[in-house]
Every structure is written in C-alpha cells, then in structure tokens.
Amino acid sequence: MPEGDTIFRTARSIGRALIGKPITVFRSTYPLLTRFNDDTPLAGQTVDRVEARGKWMLICFSGGGILASHLLMNGRWHIYRHGERWQLPRFHMRIVIENDQYQAVGFRVPVAEMHTARSLERNSKIPRPNSDLLSDDFDADAALNRLLARPGEAIADALLDQSVLAGVGNVFKSEVCFVNGLHPFRAVGTLTREEAAAAIASARKLLLANVLEDSGDLIVTYRGQQRRTTHESDPSASLWVYGRNNEPCRRCGAAIRRRIQGDDARVTFWCPCCQPMPDGSDVDG
Ligand SMILES: [Zn+2]
C-alpha cells in the first residue's frame, strides 16, 4: 500500500508534468468521469494544483473540477512523454490526462471521483490539509487530541487510522513505534500526552525526510549502515524493524518480532526489548 510519502512524491511529479499547460486530452474508463468531461470538457482547461491528502491525490482543474483518486494497494500513476512505451498493459488504464508534452496515466486506480471545492469539503473520507502529516497546514495539537480520543485502541492501529492522522502507512507505523520505544500493541490510553505528541512529531519527521528531493522511492528510517549499492540491496536494510522478523535489533540485538494486528490484519514488527509493555507483559504467546 502506498504511504503518504509515496503519494506526495507522485503528486509532485504529476504537478511538474501537468500544472499550467493546457490539457489536450482527458480519457477515462469510469463512466462518471467521462460524463463529467462530456458536460464540462477538461481539454482546454489547465491543471492549477496537484495535492496529496494522506493517501488521496487531488488534481485541481482551472474550471473548478477536482479529480480525487486513491491508489489503495495496486493503483499507480505514471508520467510518459508522447510516444514513450507504457510500462503497464493498456487494459489497466483508468484515466489519462495529456498536454502537448506529457501523458499522466492512472493505472488500476480503484477509486476516482470528480469533486467541486464544496463537495470535497463535505467529503468525510478525504482528509483535510490540517490532518495531513506532509501538509504545511498540519495541526499537531488537533491530531494529538484525535489520537488521545481513542484510549482503548492500540497505538499502531491508531497511527494507521487516516481519520486521526493522514499519511502513515504500514511501514511507517512499525518504524514510528520503534523510534519512540512504544510497544505497538500498547493502548493509546497508557501513553502520556508527551509520549503521544512525540509519536506524532516523529511520524511527521520521518515522512518529511522521505519526500526530500533526493530520497528516491525507498522508504528510509534507518541510515546507520545504508549501503549505496541500492540495486540489489534489501529494502528492509534501510528500516529499523519493518520486514526484519527474527533479525537482530539494530539497537540492542534482540530478535525482532512480527505479528498480525488490528481489524484489517496488518503485519506489525517490533523489538521486545526496546519497546516493552509498561507492565512487563508481552503479546507473544
Ligand atoms: Zn532492541
């Protein structure tokens, strides 16, 4: 599942290809988008803005339409120059937006809706900029209050909840808990306000570090022994705990644990020594 940093980078590249240039072609396999385009042709309009909101991407057109897409597990947006060969089969194409230089192609994009500013405002699934960790308008105090309003939920599940914070995906979830020494199964209610605030602050810091221009597509939270031979290197070499089941903790050497967590059965990794339960118990059994 793409995390907030991936969507942010995708939105940035799409923005570079599309913003300010007149659209020449808009096509979609989704009837609702096609109908919108029939009524209010996008060709001739320009793209004013491309924005990431958590895991949603918004493409804002000069005529006031806003295309909101969510990539879920398998969706991808690619940018091509005209004549360049697509890297995915044509039958996966859901949306194409072209100008005289580029084609932005949404492949297998499972959710795509056309909005106006007003319908976007009313939509409860698409996060507000102030809950998006990567937005300049992120409001950390409000996010802290939303987190603390879920005392019974495990911290790792609460971090993933896009209505609490937008942008944390499954990799960052485990990494943020590790960096803060928090057992991922700890109930939010057992955290002090300071601990909860620190978890939010480091989620933002880690995500921001991963959208720097030179950060590439690899998620990096651990830079200790980062090797530069990126091609054959294991992606988990850049992470503290995610994907490292039974491997030694990079801080203390204990074996990293792995367990399925939450209603959505997402995998979680943690170090039993660096991230103890406050009462000394553990969930391993
Ligand atoms: Zn450890």
Side-chain angles (χ1 to χ4, degrees):
M1 158 104 55
E3 311 218 5
D5 63 320
T6 312
I7 309 291
F8 186 94
R9 286 192 297 251
T10 301
R12 185 165 59 195
S13 341
I14 291 188
R16 282 178 185 152
L18 298 184
I19 287 174
K21 302 180 186 89
I23 295 166
T24 52
V25 171
F26 178 89
R27 276 187 290 144
S28 176
T29 57
Y30 288 123
L32 281 175
L33 299 190
T34 310
R35 197 177 312 155
F36 178 93
N37 187 48
D38 288 344
D39 294 344
T40 330
L42 290 165
Q45 297 190 29
T46 53
V47 170
D48 287 346
R49 214 168 64 249
V50 182
E51 221 180 280
R53 293 266 190 96
K55 296 174 183 177
W56 290 81
M57 186 172 70
L58 307 181
I59 301 179
C60 308
F61 300 100
S62 56
I66 301 170
L67 174 63
S69 62
H70 192 299
L71 303 180
L72 293 177
M73 297 304 252
N74 295 314
R76 298 284 180 273
W77 279 92
H78 288 177
I79 310 279
Y80 298 103
R81 290 180 183 276
H82 288 290
E84 214 177 327
R85 193 189 159 82
W86 289 5
Q87 288 168 34
L88 287 169
R90 196 155 284 267
F91 62 84
H92 287 319
M93 181 278 274
R94 300 290 177 272
I95 303 164
V96 177
I97 305 170
E98 294 183 18
N99 56 35
D100 59 6
Q101 260 186 303
Y102 298 104
Q103 295 182 307
V105 188
F107 292 102
R108 293 178 308 212
V109 172
V111 182
E113 304 166 354
M114 201 58 90
H115 283 278
T116 60
R118 181 186 276 188
S119 69
L120 190 67
E121 192 57 43
R122 282 198 306 254
N123 187 296
S124 58
K125 300 184 309 258
I126 300 173
R128 304 279 165 271
N130 64 8
S131 70
D132 183 340
L133 285 160
L134 288 168
S135 168
D136 292 339
D137 298 325
F138 177 67
D139 182 343
D141 288 336
L144 178 59
N145 290 333
R146 288 193 297 272
L147 181 64
L148 295 174
R150 294 158 188 262
E153 210 167 307
I155 178 67
D157 288 333
L159 286 172
L160 266 190
D161 187 331
Q162 301 294 299
S163 64
V164 174
L165 282 175
V168 173
N170 212 39
V171 177
F172 281 107
K173 171 194 85 175
S174 290
E175 298 294 295
V176 167
C177 288
F178 177 83
V179 167
N180 289 278
L182 298 174
H183 195 295
F185 285 79
R186 261 181 81 172
V188 170
T190 70
L191 272 61
T192 64
R193 197 174 172 85
E194 290 68 32
E195 284 174 322
I200 291 172
S202 65
R204 179 162 159 83
K205 196 172 141 204
L206 286 179
L207 276 162
L208 283 171
N210 279 276
V211 297
L212 295 176
E213 289 290 345
D214 63 352
S215 59
D217 280 339
L218 193 67
I219 292 177
V220 176
T221 61
Y222 169 76
R223 294 178 189 276
Q225 294 170 355
Q226 180 80 42
R227 291 202 182 122
R228 287 288 159 195
T229 55
T230 45
H231 280 96
E232 61 261 89
S233 77
D234 172 4
S236 68
S238 61
L239 299 172
W240 288 105
V241 291
Y242 187 87
R244 302 192 63 241
N245 189 33
N246 281 326
E247 288 178 44
C249 170
R250 300 189 192 280
R251 275 199 183 131
C252 74
I256 299 298
R257 288 190 189 164
R258 172 190 193 276
R259 195 178 169 98
I260 300 298
Q261 181 172 19
D263 295 339
D264 293 335
R266 309 297 302 279
V267 62
T268 298
F269 297 88
W270 77 100
C271 169
C273 299
C274 295
Q275 299 164 263
M277 278 297 217
D279 60 2
S281 72
D282 205 342
V283 292
D284 224 26

